[in-house]
């Protein structure tokens, strides 16, 4: 799994790391049981503060995306989110709202939006399936 | 904010050379465990401030505290807990690399031999060479080893990588992250003054931009990048004397304009929408761009 940081993004650096791990899991680039690099070598490689990577890993752990095994490292859990369904739906709704607002200002109507969302679901499913074959 | 004793606390610092105010009312505070960038143009007062921290200069007025102590009155307590890497590293020219490290270690109550061995291997420094036969890059590496092996709570770096080649600069920064910071995460503090802001970008938690001896801007890096944004628009036609409230025009070429905003990107985008832009793009400023935007007078860059 490769990381790329963008300092021209308004997104905090630790969140960029969090989102890239989440994206890697969603697209099949990282699978349950895969080990993440340890904090020090990743921090050195990306030339970021080690605290930034530590904060990203803590966040991923609290979301249940990764798990730290003492003395072994951090692993992708592949587990279902521990949150209740209504909480999970609420979190996704917040992000959809942002997308709906963007769609409104870019004159993308509901039908197009829904079709696009379905396409993207398919795209990620295909990438995961392809990753499994490799 | 944390209630821990700050690693560095500078309050209304003034330092005068004759009639020149090198530092003129500077205040800043560095929390333990953070990496703090200290950015300014040549002659802005960075080195003078650092020399006051190290008790190499006495403040004309105001106060400087390191670990809550006055470095002039508690010289030993302060100096045992910090290391300093200056821009120009001076060693005794007749000493070998080995002698230099032994000499440095003799002043320290603690010296991590494993770290020393690891870094000597990594940098491939010739132990038997006299220091006056080392390249500038090797001298800086030697100074960094001498600074890190005592495992200080505070590492003060004054333009540490200027004049070094890109590979040595990268290694330097990786060593600060790895060998230094990782040893005791959360407590090891870095205070770095540099012009090579983009190289240190990922390392910086907080920063202060200083100009003419006073603070111009202090922020944490993530907040700064979220707040300072560049908006690029192409308008069908540019009204004569166009001014957008809350935005500074950075560049204009024909119908293409670039604005800088500080925390009000949404408002400015709404105001620009009135002019029916053909395209509108927003990106954050890097710390180096924030530095330039902050210290360039309005209109000068247009």
């Amino acid at each position: 799994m490769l990381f790329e940081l963008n300092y021209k993004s308004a997104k905090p650096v630790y969140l960029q790391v969090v989102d890239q791990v989440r994206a890697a899991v969603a697209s099949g680039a990282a699978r349950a049981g895969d080990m993440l690099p340890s904090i020090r070598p990743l921090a050195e490689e990306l030339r970021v503060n080690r605290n930034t990577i530590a904060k990203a890993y803590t966040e991923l752990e609290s979301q249940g995306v990764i798990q730290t095994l003492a003395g072994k490292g951090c692993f992708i859990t592949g587990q279902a989110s521990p949150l209740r369904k209504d909480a999970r739906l609420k979190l996704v709704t917040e992000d959809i709202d942002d997308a709906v607002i963007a769609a409104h200002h870019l004159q993308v109507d509901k039908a197009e939006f829904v079709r696009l969302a379905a396409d993207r679901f398919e795209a990620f499913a295909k990438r995961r399936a392809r990753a499994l074959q490799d | 904010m944390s209630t821990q004793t700050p690693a560095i606390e500078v309050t209304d610092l003034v330092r005068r050379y004759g009639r020149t105010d090198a530092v003129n009312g500077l205040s800043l505070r560095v929390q333990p465990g953070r990496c703090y960038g200290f950015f300014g143009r040549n002659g802005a007062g960075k080195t003078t401030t650092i020399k006051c921290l190290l008790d190499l200069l006495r403040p004309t007025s105001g106060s400087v505290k390191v670990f809550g102590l006055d470095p002039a009155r508690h010289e030993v307590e302060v100096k045992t807990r910090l290391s300093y890497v200056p821009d120009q590293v001076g060693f005794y020219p007749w000493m070998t690399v080995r002698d230099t490290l032994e000499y440095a270690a003799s002043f320290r109550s603690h010296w991590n031999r494993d770290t020393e061995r690891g870094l000597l291997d990594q940098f491939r420094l010739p132990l038997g060479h006299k220091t006056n036969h080392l390249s500038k890059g090797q001298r800086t590496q030697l100074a960094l080893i001498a600074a890190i092996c005592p495992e200080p709570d505070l590492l003060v770096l004054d333009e540490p990588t200027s004049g070094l080649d890109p590979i040595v600069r990268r290694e330097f920064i990786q060593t600060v992250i790895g060998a230094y910071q990782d040893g005791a995460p959360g407590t090891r503090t870095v205070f770095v003054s540099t012009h090579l802001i983009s190289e240190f970008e990922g390392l910086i938690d907080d920063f202060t931009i200083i100009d003419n001896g006073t603070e111009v801007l202090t922020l944490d890096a993530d907040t700064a990048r979220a707040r300072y944004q560049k908006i690029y628009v192409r308008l069908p036609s540019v009204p004569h004397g166009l001014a957008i409230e809350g935005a500074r025009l950075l560049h204009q070429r024909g119908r293409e304009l670039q604005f800088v905003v500080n925390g009000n990107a949404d408002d400015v985008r709404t105001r620009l929408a009135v002019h029916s832009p053909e395209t509108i793009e927003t990106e954050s400023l890097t710390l180096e761009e924030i530095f330039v935007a902050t210290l360039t007078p309005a209109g000068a860059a247009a």
Side-chain angles (χ1 to χ4, degrees):
Chain A
M1 193 187 155
L2 293 174
F3 293 89
E4 198 172 315
L5 300 178
N6 177 12
Y7 295 111
K8 291 177 181 284
S9 160
K11 193 185 281 180
V13 178
Y14 89 95
L15 269 187
Q16 293 186 31
V17 175
V18 168
D19 286 354
Q20 286 176 34
V21 173
R22 289 164 54 93
V25 173
S27 68
R31 285 181 239 152
D34 283 356
M35 191 168 93
L36 289 179
S38 334
I39 292 174
R40 175 172 169 172
L42 184 58
E44 286 179 330
E45 180 196 319
L46 298 175
R47 283 188 296 151
V48 298
N49 205 306
R50 74 161 314 283
N51 302 335
T52 303
I53 304 295
K55 191 172 174 188
Y57 282 14
T58 305
E59 176 64 26
L60 285 164
E61 198 160 8
S62 77
Q63 292 179 9
V65 177
I66 65 168
Q67 170 181 34
T68 304
L69 298 177
K72 288 189 180 156
C74 294
F75 298 85
I76 306 283
T77 59
Q79 274 170 13
S81 164
L83 296 176
R84 280 174 39 183
K85 180 144 193 190
D86 52 351
R88 281 183 277 132
L89 287 177
K90 185 163 173 278
L91 286 173
V92 174
T93 303
E94 286 167 12
D95 288 336
I96 290 180
D97 282 355
D98 288 342
V100 169
I101 291 165
H104 173 83
H105 288 285
L106 296 169
Q107 294 82 48
V108 174
D109 67 22
K110 181 181 162 190
E112 283 172 307
F113 184 91
V114 171
R115 184 168 46 75
L116 205 53
D119 285 352
R120 297 313 298 154
F121 252 93
E122 284 305 310
F124 273 87
K126 271 191 195 137
R127 275 153 75 182
R128 278 197 306 275
R130 223 180 300 133
L132 271 177
Q133 284 167 8
D134 294 340
Chain B
M1 268 283 137
S2 157
T3 53
Q4 301 174 82
T5 306
I8 296 175
E9 190 166 24
V10 173
T11 312
D12 302 326
L13 177 68
V14 176
R15 170 65 211 203
R16 222 165 268 147
Y17 297 108
R19 286 190 191 162
T20 318
D21 291 335
V23 179
N24 190 10
L26 178 74
S27 297
L28 61 85
R29 180 191 280 253
V30 180
Q31 294 299 338
R34 307 285 282 180
C35 178
Y36 202 100
F38 191 39
F39 306 142
R41 307 186 60 179
N42 291 325
K46 302 187 301 291
T47 299
T48 301
T49 304
I50 287 175
K51 285 187 169 165
C52 289
L53 293 175
L54 302 167
D55 191 36
L56 298 170
L57 284 175
R58 293 282 162 88
T60 306
S61 69
S63 84
V64 162
K65 284 195 171 147
V66 182
F67 313 118
L69 303 168
D70 176 351
R73 286 177 51 214
H74 301 270
E75 195 187 343
V76 177
E77 288 100 310
V78 168
K79 284 194 177 159
T80 50
R81 292 177 62 191
L82 71 77
S83 287
Y84 168 51
V85 180
D87 166 15
Q88 293 290 341
V89 190
F91 296 111
Y92 292 114
W94 61 85
M95 283 190 186
T96 62
V97 169
R98 176 83 270 161
D99 294 342
T100 302
L101 288 173
E102 289 303 328
Y103 183 68
S106 71
F107 290 97
R108 298 287 190 167
S109 55
H110 172 75
W111 191 270
N112 188 325
R113 291 279 164 200
D114 292 337
T115 303
E116 182 193 78
R117 213 170 304 119
L119 290 175
L120 282 170
D121 279 356
Q122 189 193 324
F123 295 151
R124 282 181 231 95
L125 284 183
L127 278 173
H129 277 44
K130 296 217 164 85
T131 57
N132 62 343
H133 293 144
L134 297 179
S135 67
K136 180 161 170 42
Q138 289 174 319
R139 297 165 72 83
T140 305
Q141 288 170 331
L142 181 57
L144 185 62
I145 297 176
I148 285 180
C149 289
E151 307 196 307
D153 294 322
L154 173 62
L155 185 59
V156 178
L157 308 171
D158 188 8
E159 290 291 347
T161 55
S162 59
L164 303 182
D165 73 58
I167 311 270
V168 177
R169 291 207 300 259
R170 271 172 176 263
E171 275 182 348
F172 185 97
I173 292 167
Q174 283 167 351
T175 305
V176 171
I177 296 166
Y180 176 63
Q181 261 198 330
D182 205 60
T187 62
R188 301 240 169 121
T189 311
V190 181
F191 187 75
V192 56
S193 117
T194 184
H195 286 143
L196 299 165
I197 299 175
S198 58
E199 303 235 336
F200 281 89
E201 179 122 22
L203 204 56
I204 304 296
D205 288 311
D206 313 279
F207 67 90
T208 285
I209 295 175
I210 173 179
D211 199 37
N212 292 320
T214 47
E215 179 220 324
V216 180
L217 179 70
T218 296
L219 273 178
D220 76 84
D222 281 333
T223 305
R225 284 185 292 260
R227 201 180 280 179
Y228 284 86
Q229 302 201 311
K230 221 169 10 188
I231 300 179
Y232 164 87
V233 282
R234 193 172 66 235
L235 300 179
S237 66
V238 182
H240 185 68
L242 172 76
I244 301 291
E245 192 194 327
R248 197 172 118 194
L249 183 63
L250 198 61
H251 294 291
Q252 178 175 1
R253 192 165 297 129
R255 299 183 292 118
E256 293 171 288
L257 304 110
Q258 209 175 43
F259 295 93
V260 169
V261 298
N262 176 2
N264 54 344
D266 289 342
D267 296 345
V268 169
R269 269 195 300 264
T270 309
R271 280 177 208 130
L272 284 166
V274 175
H275 300 281
S276 333
E278 293 166 4
T279 177
I280 182 160
E281 286 160 28
T282 307
E283 71 178 20
S284 287
L285 267 61
T286 63
L287 296 186
E288 181 163 309
E289 291 173 318
I290 292 169
F291 176 80
V292 173
T294 306
L295 294 184
T296 314

